């Protein structure tokens, strides 16, 4: 840790900014429309919108959004060409090159919203380099990018047949049950598909609250019998057949393309799945692997808990850890209708599960935008920036260039090694409760006291040293501001607009002004003033908790 770290860290940790939450508010609008202005946004509103829809604001993006408005920016992002993930060469065992791409896309990709949504989906539909080789993780991320703006039912199908997911949750080479010797279909994917990816453990109202029985207890969405039935549905699939090879019962690992059925290995018996409108769903005997699979996915997709379960998790990843039930209901309603209309713009196809409509509903909802005016912000709004977003946001704000190596190393040291989740439950669960509060704060699950210091060390290295030879940043523009007659005023005004969308507290500003003015005269005084201000903001809770 550099010598400059000692006094700025103490001051940064003293700057307060509240904890992550969501505005409970009094918003009761349950329609899928908004009343946002369709044209000019304030600089603060534009910067805050960038925090929700990209990997972080830059001065150029703030100006663009301020000029064209929020709906037009969304439309441009929905149509932007996708960045990609190249395939690692055969024999490459390290995930690093694919992890690097995540950060280079986050910093320079023009499809910011697609990249951001794909990251969120990768933390819901979790696979991991702990189990899946790099040759599987790159195609999996391309799949999520491809489906980020499509339909959730399509996503369900594509991920189910992804060889990366097949490898991770054991659907690949899942043999039909046998009586000699006695074997059962593998239940791993069937269970997680229900529990983590679609309906959740307990039945939900449209607003995401629990449906309870007469005794006040939650009602499970599925039973162990259901898991066993779905496990039988998911038998008979193997890796894609490599070019020049012949389909086998158990193809060798190959990750380009969708898994393929080996029909004689599929359980063709009848299967009773989840009820629909109280009526049991029975798949008849004798159906093919593909017919059973599509019928099973349809059976899950029509369950009423899917819309609130998925909507709330996407809200948490993009906007706020604690969305109000009314916010969840509005987004879930859009999920069901497949269309969002507001501010003179319409998004979606009108088909249930349309993700463009859902994303627009999340980002343009009145509760999401209520803090665009700092005067209307709530102390419990927003969420803690997870390490990937924290690092990428800082680098984007200052126009840094990177090969991705340094960001990957620091994200890993903050317990969020990109694409390398320690379990199917992601780096942090969506229902993690901040100790001592009644607020959800998923990202706080990996924000221990030790890792708080790692974050501060990252900022110290970024501002005063280096986070790796492949990452470059230039603070000269801010040094020039520090040289103005009103050095601290102009410098802090610029940093406040860029990093805190104008929401810097008066106490924080006073403390930082004192620190900036205390920098002794010398050859590099202006740069050191700028560095001190940048460090104190980035290491403070007011920046780390995105409001």
């Amino acid at each position: 840790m550099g010598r400059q770290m000692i006094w700025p860290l103490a001051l940064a940790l003293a700057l307060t900014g509240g904890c992550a939450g969501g505005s409970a508010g009094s918003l009761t609008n349950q329609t899928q429309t908004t009343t946002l202005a369709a044209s000019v946004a304030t600089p603060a509103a534009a910067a805050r919108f960038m925090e929700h829809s990209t990997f972080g604001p830059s001065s150029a993006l703030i100006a663009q959004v301020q000029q064209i408005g929020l709906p037009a920016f969304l439309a441009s992002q929905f149509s932007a060409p996708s960045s990609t993930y190249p395939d690692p060469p055969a024999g490459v065992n390290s995930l690093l090159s694919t992890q690097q791409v995540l950060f280079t896309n986050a910093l320079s990709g023009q499809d910011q919203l697609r990249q951001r949504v794909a990251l969120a989906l990768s933390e819901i539909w979790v696979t991991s380099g702990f189990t899946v080789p790099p040759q599987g993780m790159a195609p999996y991320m391309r799949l999520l990018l491809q489906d980020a703006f499509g339909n959730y039912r399509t996503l369900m199908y594509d991920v189910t047949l992804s060889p990366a997911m097949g490898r991770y949750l054991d659907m690949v080479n899942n043999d039909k049950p046998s009586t000699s010797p006695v074997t059962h279909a593998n239940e791993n994917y069937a269970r997680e598909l229900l529990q983590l990816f679609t309906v959740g453990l307990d039945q939900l109202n449209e607003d995401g609250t629990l449906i309870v029985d007469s005794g006040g207890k939650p009602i499970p969405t599925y039973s162990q019998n259901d898991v066993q039935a779905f496990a039988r549905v998911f038998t008979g699939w193997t890796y894609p057949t490599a070019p020049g090879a012949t389909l086998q019962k158990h193809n060798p690992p190959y990750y380009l393309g969708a898994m393929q059925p080996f029909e004689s290995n599929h359980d063709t018996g009848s299967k009773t799945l989840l009820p629909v409108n109280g009526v049991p769903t029975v798949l008849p005997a004798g159906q093919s692997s593909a017919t059973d699979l599509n019928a099973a996915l349809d059976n899950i997709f029509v369950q009423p808990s899917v819309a609130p379960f998925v909507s709330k998790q996407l809200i948490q990843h993009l906007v706020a850890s604690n969305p109000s039930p009314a916010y969840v209901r509005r987004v879930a309603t859009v999920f069901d209708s497949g269309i969002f209309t507001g501010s003179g713009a319409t998004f979606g196809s009108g088909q249930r599960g349309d993700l463009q409509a859902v994303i627009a509903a999340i980002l343009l909802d009145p509760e999401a935008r209520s803090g665009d005016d700092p005067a209307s912000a709530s102390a419990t709004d927003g969420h803690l920036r997870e390490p990937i977003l924290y690092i990428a946001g800082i680098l984007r704000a200052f126009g840094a260039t990177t090969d991705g190596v340094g960001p990957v190393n620091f994200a890993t040291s903050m317990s969020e090694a990109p694409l390398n989740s320690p379990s199917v439950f992601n780096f942090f669960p969506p229902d993690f409760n901040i100790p001592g509060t009644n607020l959800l704060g998923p990202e706080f699950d990996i924000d221990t006291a030790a890792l708080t210091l790692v974050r501060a060390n990252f900022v110290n290295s970024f501002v005063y040293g280096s986070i790796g030879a492949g990452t470059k940043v230039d603070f000269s523009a801010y040094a020039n501001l520090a040289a103005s007659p009103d050095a601290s005023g102009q410098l802090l005004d610029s940093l406040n607009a860029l990093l805190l969308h104008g929401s810097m507290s008066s106490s924080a500003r006073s403390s930082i002004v004192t620190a900036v003015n205390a920098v002794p005269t010398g050859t590099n005084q202006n740069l050191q003033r700028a560095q001190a201000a940048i460090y104190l903001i980035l290491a403070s809770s007011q920046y780390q908790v995105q409001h």
Side-chain angles (χ1 to χ4, degrees), residues 76 173 187 202 224 254 276 346:
S76 70
N173 297 331
E187 299 173 5
D202 301 309
Q224 175 59 20
Y254 183 69
V276 176
T346 297

Side-chain angles (χ1 to χ4, degrees), residues 219-242:
I219 302 173
T221 51
Y222 60 89
S223 67
Q224 175 59 20
N225 288 338
D226 295 321
V227 172
Q228 292 173 340
F230 280 104
R232 292 172 52 221
V233 167
F234 300 135
T235 56
W237 295 87
T238 188
Y239 287 104
T241 304

Side-chain angles (χ1 to χ4, degrees), residues 144 157 198 217 278 285 305-306 325-327 337 367 388 439 443 456 512:
L144 297 183
Y157 179 84
T198 54
K217 295 181 179 180
S305 290
V306 171
Y327 185 4
S337 71
E367 188 168 318
I388 290 173
L439 294 173
E443 299 85 354
I512 297 173

Side-chain angles (χ1 to χ4, degrees), residues 202-220:
D202 301 309
Q203 295 182 27
L204 301 175
N205 293 303
E206 188 80 349
D207 63 4
T209 59
L210 290 171
I211 297 174
V212 296
D213 61 20
S214 58
K217 295 181 179 180
I219 302 173

Side-chain angles (χ1 to χ4, degrees), residues 177-409:
S178 171
T179 57
S180 180
V182 176
T183 60
H184 303 280
N186 190 290
E187 299 173 5
N188 204 8
Y189 182 68
R191 179 174 287 104
E192 308 308 354
L193 175 64
L194 295 168
Q195 178 182 346
L196 301 178
F197 307 156
T198 54
V199 295
L201 288 171
D202 301 309
Q203 295 182 27
L204 301 175
N205 293 303
E206 188 80 349
D207 63 4
T209 59
L210 290 171
I211 297 174
V212 296
D213 61 20
S214 58
K217 295 181 179 180
I219 302 173
T221 51
Y222 60 89
S223 67
Q224 175 59 20
N225 288 338
D226 295 321
V227 172
Q228 292 173 340
F230 280 104
R232 292 172 52 221
V233 167
F234 300 135
T235 56
W237 295 87
T238 188
Y239 287 104
T241 304
T246 302
L247 175 66
Q248 306 172 46
K249 177 181 177 181
H250 289 172
N251 273 345
Y254 183 69
Y255 292 94
L256 299 181
M259 291 194 293
Q260 294 180 263
F262 193 86
E263 291 298 344
S264 64
N265 197 29
H266 175 63
D267 183 335
T268 57
S270 66
K271 306 163 186 77
T272 302
L273 306 182
L274 301 174
V276 176
N277 297 323
V279 179
T281 299
V282 179
L283 302 187
Q287 296 194 143
S288 69
S289 303
T291 300
D292 266 2
L293 184 141
N294 274 299
L297 294 182
D298 285 342
N299 175 252
I300 296 171
F301 184 61
V302 300
Q303 298 298 314
S305 290
V306 171
F309 182 79
V310 172
S311 296
K312 183 173 181 179
Q313 288 202 64
L314 288 174
I315 293 170
Q316 287 182 308
H317 280 283
L318 297 176
V319 176
S321 294
N322 289 269
S324 70
Y327 185 4
V328 175
R329 181 189 295 113
R330 288 190 293 270
V331 176
T333 299
V334 169
F335 186 105
D336 286 333
S337 71
I339 195 161
F340 173 86
T341 301
S343 305
T346 297
F347 299 100
S349 62
Q351 294 183 339
R352 185 173 186 273
D354 188 292
L355 286 174
Q356 283 196 26
V358 170
I359 293 162
I362 290 170
L363 296 176
L364 296 177
D365 188 85
E367 188 168 318
R369 307 272 53 88
S370 63
D372 287 354
D373 177 359
S376 65
S378 167
T380 56
D381 191 18
H383 60 97
L384 176 69
R385 298 177 198 262
E386 63 188 271
I388 290 173
L389 295 182
Y390 183 56
I391 293 169
I394 288 173
L395 269 60
R396 280 180 58 81
F398 294 99
T401 60
T402 187
D403 62 2
V405 174
V408 169
N409 290 338

Side-chain angles (χ1 to χ4, degrees), residues 81-93:
S82 177
S83 302
T84 191
Y85 281 77
D87 288 314
V92 170
N93 297 319

